[in-house]
Amino acid sequence: TAAAEALAVSPARTRLMGGRLELLRMLADGSLRSGEDLAVALAVSRAAVWKRLQQLEEWGIACEALPGRGYR
């Protein structure tokens, strides 16, 4: 139906959201994690981690960045 098609999420969008949600899960415990550790765990570059953090901020989810130490 048209309603079901409107609610369907493309596989690409699912992957896009999934990466950000996985990052959010990793940061949810409040532990400090380096960008490098996050990148390895997510199998992406550190730049991609930073971009995902920016997306979370756009969604209204604040993540703390501590230069030289990591994120939480």
Side-chain angles (χ1 to χ4, degrees):
T1 68
E5 287 177 16
L7 294 174
V9 178
S10 72
R13 184 161 177 101
T14 299
R15 283 190 303 277
L16 178 73
M17 290 177 53
R20 281 141 185 86
L21 295 176
E22 184 60 29
L23 176 60
L24 186 57
R25 277 190 212 96
M26 294 176 71
L27 297 173
D29 66 2
S31 297
L32 197 59
R33 300 181 190 271
S34 74
E36 184 176 347
D37 288 345
L38 292 169
V40 168
L42 296 169
V44 297
S45 67
R46 287 187 311 163
V49 168
W50 184 83
K51 288 177 184 179
R52 289 177 182 189
L53 287 164
Q54 295 300 309
Q55 182 67 57
L56 291 176
E57 294 230 358
E58 288 177 16
W59 291 351
I61 302 167
C63 298
E64 185 177 16
L66 302 169
R69 294 185 54 207
Y71 302 95
R72 63 175 167 203

CSV table of all heavy atoms in Angstrom, one decimal:
chain,number,residue,atom,x,y,z
A,1,THR,N,0.8,-1.2,0.0
A,1,THR,CA,0.0,0.0,0.0
A,1,THR,C,0.9,1.2,0.0
A,1,THR,O,2.1,1.2,0.3
A,1,THR,CB,-0.9,0.0,1.2
A,1,THR,OG1,-0.1,0.2,2.4
A,1,THR,CG2,-1.8,-1.2,1.3
A,2,ALA,N,0.3,2.4,-0.3
A,2,ALA,CA,1.0,3.6,-0.3
A,2,ALA,C,1.5,4.0,1.1
A,2,ALA,O,2.6,4.5,1.2
A,2,ALA,CB,0.1,4.7,-0.9
A,3,ALA,N,0.7,3.7,2.1
A,3,ALA,CA,1.1,4.0,3.4
A,3,ALA,C,2.4,3.2,3.8
A,3,ALA,O,3.3,3.7,4.5
A,3,ALA,CB,0.0,3.8,4.4
A,4,ALA,N,2.4,2.0,3.5
A,4,ALA,CA,3.5,1.1,3.8
A,4,ALA,C,4.8,1.6,3.1
A,4,ALA,O,5.9,1.6,3.7
A,4,ALA,CB,3.2,-0.4,3.5
A,5,GLU,N,4.6,2.0,1.9
A,5,GLU,CA,5.8,2.4,1.1
A,5,GLU,C,6.3,3.7,1.7
A,5,GLU,O,7.5,4.0,1.7
A,5,GLU,CB,5.4,2.7,-0.4
A,5,GLU,CG,5.2,1.4,-1.1
A,5,GLU,CD,4.8,1.6,-2.5
A,5,GLU,OE1,4.9,2.7,-3.0
A,5,GLU,OE2,4.3,0.6,-3.2
A,6,ALA,N,5.4,4.6,2.2
A,6,ALA,CA,5.9,5.9,2.8
A,6,ALA,C,6.6,5.6,4.1
A,6,ALA,O,7.5,6.4,4.4
A,6,ALA,CB,4.6,6.7,3.1
A,7,LEU,N,6.3,4.6,4.8
A,7,LEU,CA,7.0,4.3,6.0
A,7,LEU,C,8.3,3.4,5.8
A,7,LEU,O,9.1,3.3,6.8
A,7,LEU,CB,6.1,3.5,7.0
A,7,LEU,CG,4.9,4.4,7.5
A,7,LEU,CD1,4.0,3.5,8.3
A,7,LEU,CD2,5.4,5.6,8.3
A,8,ALA,N,8.5,2.9,4.7
A,8,ALA,CA,9.6,2.0,4.4
A,8,ALA,C,10.9,2.8,4.5
A,8,ALA,O,10.9,4.0,4.0
A,8,ALA,CB,9.5,1.3,3.1
A,9,VAL,N,11.9,2.2,5.0
A,9,VAL,CA,13.2,2.8,5.1
A,9,VAL,C,14.2,2.1,4.2
A,9,VAL,O,14.3,0.9,4.3
A,9,VAL,CB,13.8,2.8,6.6
A,9,VAL,CG1,15.1,3.4,6.7
A,9,VAL,CG2,12.8,3.5,7.5
A,10,SER,N,14.9,2.8,3.4
A,10,SER,CA,15.8,2.2,2.4
A,10,SER,C,17.0,1.5,3.2
A,10,SER,O,17.3,2.0,4.3
A,10,SER,CB,16.3,3.2,1.4
A,10,SER,OG,17.3,4.1,2.1
A,11,PRO,N,17.6,0.5,2.6
A,11,PRO,CA,18.7,-0.1,3.2
A,11,PRO,C,19.9,0.9,3.5
A,11,PRO,O,20.5,0.8,4.5
A,11,PRO,CB,19.1,-1.2,2.2
A,11,PRO,CG,17.9,-1.5,1.4
A,11,PRO,CD,17.1,-0.2,1.4
A,12,ALA,N,20.1,1.8,2.5
A,12,ALA,CA,21.1,2.8,2.7
A,12,ALA,C,20.8,3.7,3.9
A,12,ALA,O,21.7,4.0,4.7
A,12,ALA,CB,21.3,3.7,1.5
A,13,ARG,N,19.6,4.1,4.1
A,13,ARG,CA,19.2,4.9,5.2
A,13,ARG,C,19.3,4.1,6.5
A,13,ARG,O,19.8,4.7,7.6
A,13,ARG,CB,17.8,5.5,5.1
A,13,ARG,CG,17.5,6.4,6.2
A,13,ARG,CD,16.3,7.3,5.8
A,13,ARG,NE,16.0,8.2,6.9
A,13,ARG,CZ,16.3,9.4,7.0
A,13,ARG,NH1,17.1,10.0,6.1
A,13,ARG,NH2,16.0,10.1,8.1
A,14,THR,N,19.0,2.9,6.5
A,14,THR,CA,19.1,2.0,7.7
A,14,THR,C,20.6,1.9,8.1
A,14,THR,O,20.9,2.0,9.3
A,14,THR,CB,18.6,0.6,7.4
A,14,THR,OG1,17.2,0.7,7.1
A,14,THR,CG2,18.7,-0.3,8.6
A,15,ARG,N,21.5,1.7,7.1
A,15,ARG,CA,22.9,1.7,7.5
A,15,ARG,C,23.4,3.0,8.0
A,15,ARG,O,24.2,3.1,9.0
A,15,ARG,CB,23.8,1.3,6.2
A,15,ARG,CG,23.7,-0.1,5.9
A,15,ARG,CD,24.7,-0.5,4.8
A,15,ARG,NE,24.6,0.3,3.6
A,15,ARG,CZ,23.7,0.0,2.6
A,15,ARG,NH1,22.9,-1.0,2.7
A,15,ARG,NH2,23.7,0.8,1.5
A,16,LEU,N,22.9,4.1,7.4
A,16,LEU,CA,23.3,5.4,7.8
A,16,LEU,C,22.9,5.7,9.3
A,16,LEU,O,23.7,6.1,10.1
A,16,LEU,CB,22.6,6.5,6.9
A,16,LEU,CG,22.9,8.0,7.3
A,16,LEU,CD1,24.3,8.3,6.9
A,16,LEU,CD2,21.9,8.8,6.5
A,17,MET,N,21.7,5.4,9.6
A,17,MET,CA,21.1,5.5,11.0
A,17,MET,C,21.8,4.6,11.9
A,17,MET,O,22.1,4.9,13.1
A,17,MET,CB,19.6,5.4,11.0
A,17,MET,CG,18.9,6.6,10.3
A,17,MET,SD,17.1,6.4,10.2
A,17,MET,CE,16.7,6.1,11.9
A,18,GLY,N,22.0,3.3,11.4
A,18,GLY,CA,22.6,2.3,12.3
A,18,GLY,C,23.9,2.7,12.8
A,18,GLY,O,24.2,2.4,14.0
A,19,GLY,N,24.8,3.3,12.0
A,19,GLY,CA,26.1,3.7,12.4
A,19,GLY,C,26.0,4.7,13.5
A,19,GLY,O,26.8,4.7,14.5
A,20,ARG,N,25.1,5.7,13.4
A,20,ARG,CA,25.0,6.7,14.4
A,20,ARG,C,24.4,6.1,15.7
A,20,ARG,O,24.8,6.5,16.8
A,20,ARG,CB,24.1,7.8,13.9
A,20,ARG,CG,24.9,8.7,13.0
A,20,ARG,CD,24.1,9.2,11.8
A,20,ARG,NE,24.9,10.0,10.9
A,20,ARG,CZ,25.6,9.5,9.9
A,20,ARG,NH1,25.7,8.2,9.7
A,20,ARG,NH2,26.3,10.2,9.1
A,21,LEU,N,23.5,5.2,15.5
A,21,LEU,CA,22.9,4.6,16.7
A,21,LEU,C,23.9,3.7,17.4
A,21,LEU,O,23.9,3.7,18.7
A,21,LEU,CB,21.6,3.8,16.3
A,21,LEU,CG,20.5,4.6,15.8
A,21,LEU,CD1,19.3,3.7,15.4
A,21,LEU,CD2,20.0,5.6,16.8
A,22,GLU,N,24.7,3.0,16.7
A,22,GLU,CA,25.8,2.2,17.3
A,22,GLU,C,26.8,3.1,18.0
A,22,GLU,O,27.2,2.8,19.2
A,22,GLU,CB,26.5,1.4,16.3
A,22,GLU,CG,27.5,0.4,16.8
A,22,GLU,CD,27.0,-0.6,17.8
A,22,GLU,OE1,25.8,-1.0,17.7
A,22,GLU,OE2,27.8,-1.0,18.7
A,23,LEU,N,27.1,4.2,17.5
A,23,LEU,CA,28.0,5.2,18.1
A,23,LEU,C,27.4,5.7,19.4
A,23,LEU,O,28.0,5.7,20.5
A,23,LEU,CB,28.3,6.4,17.2
A,23,LEU,CG,29.1,7.5,17.8
A,23,LEU,CD1,30.5,7.0,18.2
A,23,LEU,CD2,29.3,8.6,16.7
A,24,LEU,N,26.1,6.0,19.3
A,24,LEU,CA,25.4,6.5,20.5
A,24,LEU,C,25.4,5.4,21.6
A,24,LEU,O,25.6,5.7,22.8
A,24,LEU,CB,23.9,6.8,20.1
A,24,LEU,CG,23.1,7.5,21.2
A,24,LEU,CD1,23.7,8.7,21.8
A,24,LEU,CD2,21.7,7.8,20.7
A,25,ARG,N,25.2,4.1,21.2
A,25,ARG,CA,25.2,3.0,22.2
A,25,ARG,C,26.6,3.0,22.9
A,25,ARG,O,26.7,2.8,24.1
A,25,ARG,CB,24.9,1.7,21.5
A,25,ARG,CG,23.5,1.4,21.4
A,25,ARG,CD,23.3,0.0,20.9
A,25,ARG,NE,22.1,-0.1,20.0
A,25,ARG,CZ,22.1,0.0,18.7
A,25,ARG,NH1,23.2,0.0,18.1
A,25,ARG,NH2,21.0,-0.1,18.0
A,26,MET,N,27.6,3.2,22.1
A,26,MET,CA,29.0,3.1,22.7
A,26,MET,C,29.3,4.2,23.6
A,26,MET,O,30.0,4.0,24.6
A,26,MET,CB,30.0,3.1,21.5
A,26,MET,CG,30.0,1.9,20.6
A,26,MET,SD,31.1,1.9,19.3
A,26,MET,CE,32.6,1.8,20.1
A,27,LEU,N,28.7,5.4,23.4
A,27,LEU,CA,28.9,6.5,24.3
A,27,LEU,C,28.0,6.6,25.4
A,27,LEU,O,28.2,7.4,26.4
A,27,LEU,CB,28.8,7.8,23.4
A,27,LEU,CG,29.9,8.0,22.3
A,27,LEU,CD1,29.6,9.2,21.5
A,27,LEU,CD2,31.3,8.1,22.9
A,28,ALA,N,26.9,5.9,25.4
A,28,ALA,CA,25.8,6.0,26.4
A,28,ALA,C,26.2,5.7,27.8
A,28,ALA,O,25.6,6.3,28.7
A,28,ALA,CB,24.7,5.0,26.0
A,29,ASP,N,27.3,4.9,28.0
A,29,ASP,CA,27.7,4.6,29.4
A,29,ASP,C,28.5,5.8,30.1
A,29,ASP,O,28.8,5.7,31.3
A,29,ASP,CB,28.4,3.3,29.5
A,29,ASP,CG,29.8,3.4,28.8
A,29,ASP,OD1,30.2,4.4,28.3
A,29,ASP,OD2,30.5,2.3,28.8
A,30,GLY,N,28.8,6.8,29.3
A,30,GLY,CA,29.5,7.9,29.9
A,30,GLY,C,31.0,7.8,29.9
A,30,GLY,O,31.7,8.7,30.3
A,31,SER,N,31.5,6.6,29.5
A,31,SER,CA,33.0,6.4,29.5
A,31,SER,C,33.6,7.2,28.4
A,31,SER,O,33.0,7.5,27.4
A,31,SER,CB,33.3,4.9,29.3
A,31,SER,OG,32.8,4.1,30.3
A,32,LEU,N,34.8,7.7,28.7
A,32,LEU,CA,35.6,8.4,27.7
A,32,LEU,C,36.2,7.5,26.7
A,32,LEU,O,36.8,6.5,27.1
A,32,LEU,CB,36.7,9.2,28.4
A,32,LEU,CG,37.4,10.3,27.7
A,32,LEU,CD1,36.4,11.4,27.3
A,32,LEU,CD2,38.4,11.0,28.6
A,33,ARG,N,36.0,7.7,25.4
A,33,ARG,CA,36.5,6.8,24.4
A,33,ARG,C,37.2,7.7,23.3
A,33,ARG,O,36.6,8.7,22.9
A,33,ARG,CB,35.3,6.1,23.7
A,33,ARG,CG,34.6,5.2,24.7
A,33,ARG,CD,33.5,4.4,24.0
A,33,ARG,NE,32.6,3.8,24.9
A,33,ARG,CZ,32.8,2.5,25.4
A,33,ARG,NH1,33.9,1.8,25.0
A,33,ARG,NH2,32.0,2.0,26.2
A,34,SER,N,38.4,7.2,22.9
A,34,SER,CA,39.1,8.0,21.9
A,34,SER,C,38.4,7.8,20.5
A,34,SER,O,37.7,6.8,20.3
A,34,SER,CB,40.5,7.4,21.8
A,34,SER,OG,40.6,6.2,21.2
A,35,GLY,N,38.7,8.8,19.7
A,35,GLY,CA,38.2,8.7,18.3
A,35,GLY,C,38.7,7.5,17.6
A,35,GLY,O,38.0,6.9,16.8
A,36,GLU,N,39.9,7.2,17.9
A,36,GLU,CA,40.6,6.0,17.2
A,36,GLU,C,39.9,4.7,17.6
A,36,GLU,O,39.6,3.9,16.8
A,36,GLU,CB,42.0,6.0,17.5
A,36,GLU,CG,42.8,4.8,16.8
A,36,GLU,CD,44.3,4.9,17.1
A,36,GLU,OE1,44.8,5.9,17.6
A,36,GLU,OE2,44.9,3.9,16.7
A,37,ASP,N,39.6,4.6,18.9
A,37,ASP,CA,38.9,3.4,19.4
A,37,ASP,C,37.5,3.3,18.8
A,37,ASP,O,37.1,2.2,18.5
A,37,ASP,CB,38.8,3.4,21.0
A,37,ASP,CG,40.2,3.1,21.6
A,37,ASP,OD1,41.1,2.7,20.9
A,37,ASP,OD2,40.3,3.4,22.8
A,38,LEU,N,36.8,4.4,18.8
A,38,LEU,CA,35.5,4.4,18.2
A,38,LEU,C,35.5,4.0,16.7
A,38,LEU,O,34.7,3.2,16.2
A,38,LEU,CB,34.8,5.8,18.4
A,38,LEU,CG,34.5,6.2,19.8
A,38,LEU,CD1,34.1,7.6,19.9
A,38,LEU,CD2,33.4,5.3,20.4
A,39,ALA,N,36.5,4.6,16.0
A,39,ALA,CA,36.7,4.3,14.6
A,39,ALA,C,36.9,2.8,14.3
A,39,ALA,O,36.3,2.2,13.4
A,39,ALA,CB,37.8,5.1,14.0
A,40,VAL,N,37.8,2.2,15.1
A,40,VAL,CA,38.1,0.8,15.0
A,40,VAL,C,36.9,0.0,15.3
A,40,VAL,O,36.5,-1.0,14.5
A,40,VAL,CB,39.3,0.4,15.9
A,40,VAL,CG1,39.4,-1.1,16.0
A,40,VAL,CG2,40.6,1.0,15.4
A,41,ALA,N,36.2,0.3,16.3
A,41,ALA,CA,35.0,-0.5,16.7
A,41,ALA,C,33.9,-0.4,15.7
A,41,ALA,O,33.1,-1.4,15.4
A,41,ALA,CB,34.4,0.0,18.1
A,42,LEU,N,33.8,0.7,15.0
A,42,LEU,CA,32.7,1.0,14.0
A,42,LEU,C,33.2,0.7,12.6
A,42,LEU,O,32.4,0.7,11.6
A,42,LEU,CB,32.2,2.4,14.1
A,42,LEU,CG,31.6,2.8,15.4
A,42,LEU,CD1,31.4,4.3,15.4
A,42,LEU,CD2,30.2,2.1,15.5
A,43,ALA,N,34.5,0.3,12.4
A,43,ALA,CA,35.1,0.0,11.1
A,43,ALA,C,35.0,1.2,10.2
A,43,ALA,O,34.6,1.1,9.0
A,43,ALA,CB,34.5,-1.2,10.5
A,44,VAL,N,35.3,2.4,10.7
A,44,VAL,CA,35.2,3.6,9.9
A,44,VAL,C,36.5,4.5,10.2
A,44,VAL,O,37.2,4.1,11.1
A,44,VAL,CB,33.9,4.5,10.1
A,44,VAL,CG1,32.7,3.7,9.7
A,44,VAL,CG2,33.8,4.9,11.6
A,45,SER,N,36.6,5.6,9.5
A,45,SER,CA,37.8,6.5,9.8
A,45,SER,C,37.4,7.4,11.0
A,45,SER,O,36.2,7.5,11.4
A,45,SER,CB,38.1,7.4,8.6
A,45,SER,OG,37.0,8.3,8.4
A,46,ARG,N,38.4,8.0,11.6
A,46,ARG,CA,38.2,9.0,12.7
A,46,ARG,C,37.4,10.1,12.2
A,46,ARG,O,36.5,10.7,12.9
A,46,ARG,CB,39.5,9.5,13.3
A,46,ARG,CG,40.2,8.4,14.1
A,46,ARG,CD,41.4,8.9,14.9
A,46,ARG,NE,42.3,9.6,14.0
A,46,ARG,CZ,43.2,10.5,14.4
A,46,ARG,NH1,43.4,10.7,15.7
A,46,ARG,NH2,44.0,11.1,13.6
A,47,ALA,N,37.6,10.5,10.9
A,47,ALA,CA,36.8,11.6,10.3
A,47,ALA,C,35.3,11.2,10.3
A,47,ALA,O,34.4,12.0,10.5
A,47,ALA,CB,37.3,12.0,8.9
A,48,ALA,N,35.0,9.9,9.9
A,48,ALA,CA,33.7,9.5,9.9
A,48,ALA,C,33.0,9.5,11.3
A,48,ALA,O,31.8,9.8,11.4
A,48,ALA,CB,33.6,8.1,9.3
A,49,VAL,N,33.8,9.2,12.3
A,49,VAL,CA,33.3,9.2,13.7
A,49,VAL,C,32.9,10.7,14.0
A,49,VAL,O,31.8,10.9,14.5
A,49,VAL,CB,34.4,8.7,14.7
A,49,VAL,CG1,34.0,9.1,16.1
A,49,VAL,CG2,34.6,7.2,14.5
A,50,TRP,N,33.8,11.6,13.6
A,50,TRP,CA,33.5,13.0,13.9
A,50,TRP,C,32.2,13.5,13.2
A,50,TRP,O,31.4,14.1,13.7
A,50,TRP,CB,34.7,13.9,13.4
A,50,TRP,CG,34.5,15.3,13.8
A,50,TRP,CD1,34.7,15.9,15.0
A,50,TRP,CD2,34.0,16.3,12.9
A,50,TRP,NE1,34.4,17.3,14.9
A,50,TRP,CE2,33.9,17.5,13.6
A,50,TRP,CE3,33.5,16.3,11.6
A,50,TRP,CZ2,33.5,18.7,13.1
A,50,TRP,CZ3,33.1,17.5,11.0
A,50,TRP,CH2,33.1,18.7,11.8
A,51,LYS,N,32.1,13.0,11.9
A,51,LYS,CA,30.8,13.4,11.2
A,51,LYS,C,29.6,12.8,11.8
A,51,LYS,O,28.5,13.4,11.9
A,51,LYS,CB,31.0,12.9,9.7
A,51,LYS,CG,31.9,13.7,8.9
A,51,LYS,CD,32.1,13.2,7.5
A,51,LYS,CE,33.1,13.9,6.7
A,51,LYS,NZ,33.3,13.4,5.4
A,52,ARG,N,29.7,11.6,12.3
A,52,ARG,CA,28.6,10.9,13.0
A,52,ARG,C,28.2,11.7,14.3
A,52,ARG,O,27.1,11.8,14.6
A,52,ARG,CB,28.9,9.5,13.3
A,52,ARG,CG,28.9,8.6,12.0
A,52,ARG,CD,29.2,7.2,12.3
A,52,ARG,NE,29.3,6.5,11.0
A,52,ARG,CZ,29.4,5.2,10.9
A,52,ARG,NH1,29.5,4.4,12.0
A,52,ARG,NH2,29.4,4.6,9.7
A,53,LEU,N,29.3,12.1,15.0
A,53,LEU,CA,29.0,12.9,16.2
A,53,LEU,C,28.3,14.2,15.9
A,53,LEU,O,27.4,14.7,16.6
A,53,LEU,CB,30.3,13.2,16.9
A,53,LEU,CG,30.9,12.0,17.6
A,53,LEU,CD1,32.4,12.3,18.0
A,53,LEU,CD2,30.2,11.6,18.9
A,54,GLN,N,28.7,14.8,14.7
A,54,GLN,CA,28.0,16.1,14.3
A,54,GLN,C,26.5,15.8,14.0
A,54,GLN,O,25.7,16.6,14.3
A,54,GLN,CB,28.7,16.6,13.1
A,54,GLN,CG,30.1,17.1,13.4
A,54,GLN,CD,30.2,18.2,14.4
A,54,GLN,OE1,29.4,19.2,14.3
A,54,GLN,NE2,31.0,18.0,15.4
A,55,GLN,N,26.3,14.6,13.4
A,55,GLN,CA,24.9,14.3,13.1
A,55,GLN,C,24.1,14.1,14.3
A,55,GLN,O,22.9,14.5,14.4
A,55,GLN,CB,24.8,13.0,12.2
A,55,GLN,CG,23.4,12.6,11.8
A,55,GLN,CD,22.8,13.6,10.9
A,55,GLN,OE1,23.3,13.8,9.8
A,55,GLN,NE2,21.6,14.1,11.2
A,56,LEU,N,24.7,13.5,15.3
A,56,LEU,CA,24.0,13.3,16.6
A,56,LEU,C,23.6,14.6,17.2
A,56,LEU,O,22.5,14.8,17.8
A,56,LEU,CB,24.8,12.5,17.6
A,56,LEU,CG,25.0,11.0,17.2
A,56,LEU,CD1,26.0,10.3,18.3
A,56,LEU,CD2,23.7,10.2,17.2
A,57,GLU,N,24.6,15.6,17.1
A,57,GLU,CA,24.3,16.9,17.6
A,57,GLU,C,23.2,17.6,16.9
A,57,GLU,O,22.3,18.3,17.5
A,57,GLU,CB,25.6,17.8,17.6
A,57,GLU,CG,26.6,17.3,18.5
A,57,GLU,CD,27.2,18.3,19.4
A,57,GLU,OE1,26.9,19.5,19.3
A,57,GLU,OE2,28.1,17.9,20.2
A,58,GLU,N,23.1,17.4,15.6
A,58,GLU,CA,22.0,17.9,14.8
A,58,GLU,C,20.7,17.3,15.2
A,58,GLU,O,19.6,17.9,15.1
A,58,GLU,CB,22.2,17.7,13.3
A,58,GLU,CG,23.3,18.5,12.7
A,58,GLU,CD,23.6,18.2,11.3
A,58,GLU,OE1,22.8,17.5,10.6
A,58,GLU,OE2,24.7,18.6,10.8
A,59,TRP,N,20.7,16.1,15.7
A,59,TRP,CA,19.5,15.4,16.2
A,59,TRP,C,19.1,15.9,17.6
A,59,TRP,O,18.2,15.4,18.2
A,59,TRP,CB,19.7,13.9,16.2
A,59,TRP,CG,19.7,13.3,14.9
A,59,TRP,CD1,19.5,13.8,13.7
A,59,TRP,CD2,20.1,11.9,14.6
A,59,TRP,NE1,19.6,12.9,12.7
A,59,TRP,CE2,20.0,11.7,13.2
A,59,TRP,CE3,20.4,10.8,15.4
A,59,TRP,CZ2,20.3,10.5,12.6
A,59,TRP,CZ3,20.7,9.6,14.8
A,59,TRP,CH2,20.6,9.5,13.4
A,60,GLY,N,20.0,16.7,18.2
A,60,GLY,CA,19.7,17.2,19.6
A,60,GLY,C,20.4,16.4,20.7
A,60,GLY,O,20.0,16.6,21.8
A,61,ILE,N,21.3,15.5,20.3
A,61,ILE,CA,22.0,14.7,21.2
A,61,ILE,C,23.4,15.2,21.4
A,61,ILE,O,24.3,15.1,20.5
A,61,ILE,CB,22.1,13.2,20.8
A,61,ILE,CG1,20.7,12.7,20.5
A,61,ILE,CG2,22.8,12.4,21.7
A,61,ILE,CD1,20.6,11.4,19.8
A,62,ALA,N,23.7,15.8,22.6
A,62,ALA,CA,25.0,16.4,22.8
A,62,ALA,C,26.0,15.4,23.3
A,62,ALA,O,25.7,14.5,24.1
A,62,ALA,CB,24.8,17.5,23.9
A,63,CYS,N,27.1,15.4,22.6
A,63,CYS,CA,28.3,14.5,23.0
A,63,CYS,C,29.4,15.4,23.4
A,63,CYS,O,29.7,16.4,22.6
A,63,CYS,CB,28.6,13.6,21.8
A,63,CYS,SG,27.3,12.5,21.4
A,64,GLU,N,30.1,15.1,24.4
A,64,GLU,CA,31.2,15.9,24.9
A,64,GLU,C,32.5,15.5,24.2
A,64,GLU,O,32.8,14.3,24.1
A,64,GLU,CB,31.4,15.8,26.4
A,64,GLU,CG,32.4,16.6,27.0
A,64,GLU,CD,32.5,16.5,28.5
A,64,GLU,OE1,32.0,15.5,29.0
A,64,GLU,OE2,33.2,17.4,29.1
A,65,ALA,N,33.2,16.4,23.6
A,65,ALA,CA,34.5,16.2,23.0
A,65,ALA,C,35.6,16.8,23.8
A,65,ALA,O,35.6,18.0,24.1
A,65,ALA,CB,34.5,16.7,21.6
A,66,LEU,N,36.6,16.0,24.2
A,66,LEU,CA,37.7,16.5,25.0
A,66,LEU,C,38.9,16.3,24.2
A,66,LEU,O,39.4,15.2,24.0
A,66,LEU,CB,37.8,15.7,26.4
A,66,LEU,CG,36.5,15.8,27.2
A,66,LEU,CD1,36.6,14.8,28.4
A,66,LEU,CD2,36.3,17.2,27.7
A,67,PRO,N,39.5,17.4,23.7
A,67,PRO,CA,40.7,17.3,22.8
A,67,PRO,C,41.8,16.6,23.4
A,67,PRO,O,42.1,16.8,24.6
A,67,PRO,CB,41.0,18.8,22.6
A,67,PRO,CG,39.7,19.5,22.7
A,67,PRO,CD,39.0,18.8,23.8
A,68,GLY,N,42.3,15.6,22.7
A,68,GLY,CA,43.4,14.8,23.1
A,68,GLY,C,43.0,13.7,24.1
A,68,GLY,O,43.9,12.9,24.5
A,69,ARG,N,41.8,13.6,24.4
A,69,ARG,CA,41.3,12.6,25.4
A,69,ARG,C,40.2,11.7,24.8
A,69,ARG,O,40.3,10.5,25.0
A,69,ARG,CB,40.8,13.2,26.7
A,69,ARG,CG,41.9,13.9,27.4
A,69,ARG,CD,41.5,14.5,28.7
A,69,ARG,NE,40.9,13.5,29.6
A,69,ARG,CZ,40.1,13.8,30.5
A,69,ARG,NH1,39.7,15.0,30.7
A,69,ARG,NH2,39.5,12.8,31.3
A,70,GLY,N,39.2,12.3,24.1
A,70,GLY,CA,38.2,11.4,23.5
A,70,GLY,C,36.8,12.1,23.6
A,70,GLY,O,36.7,13.3,23.8
A,71,TYR,N,35.8,11.2,23.5
A,71,TYR,CA,34.4,11.6,23.5
A,71,TYR,C,33.6,10.9,24.5
A,71,TYR,O,34.0,9.8,24.9
A,71,TYR,CB,33.8,11.3,22.1
A,71,TYR,CG,34.5,11.9,20.9
A,71,TYR,CD1,35.5,11.2,20.2
A,71,TYR,CD2,34.2,13.2,20.5
A,71,TYR,CE1,36.1,11.8,19.1
A,71,TYR,CE2,34.9,13.8,19.5
A,71,TYR,CZ,35.8,13.1,18.8
A,71,TYR,OH,36.4,13.7,17.7
A,72,ARG,N,32.6,11.5,24.9
A,72,ARG,CA,31.6,10.8,25.8
A,72,ARG,C,30.2,11.5,25.7
A,72,ARG,O,30.1,12.6,25.2
A,72,ARG,CB,32.0,10.8,27.3
A,72,ARG,CG,32.2,12.1,28.0
A,72,ARG,CD,32.5,11.9,29.4
A,72,ARG,NE,33.0,13.1,29.9
A,72,ARG,CZ,33.8,13.2,31.0
A,72,ARG,NH1,34.2,12.2,31.6
A,72,ARG,NH2,34.1,14.4,31.4
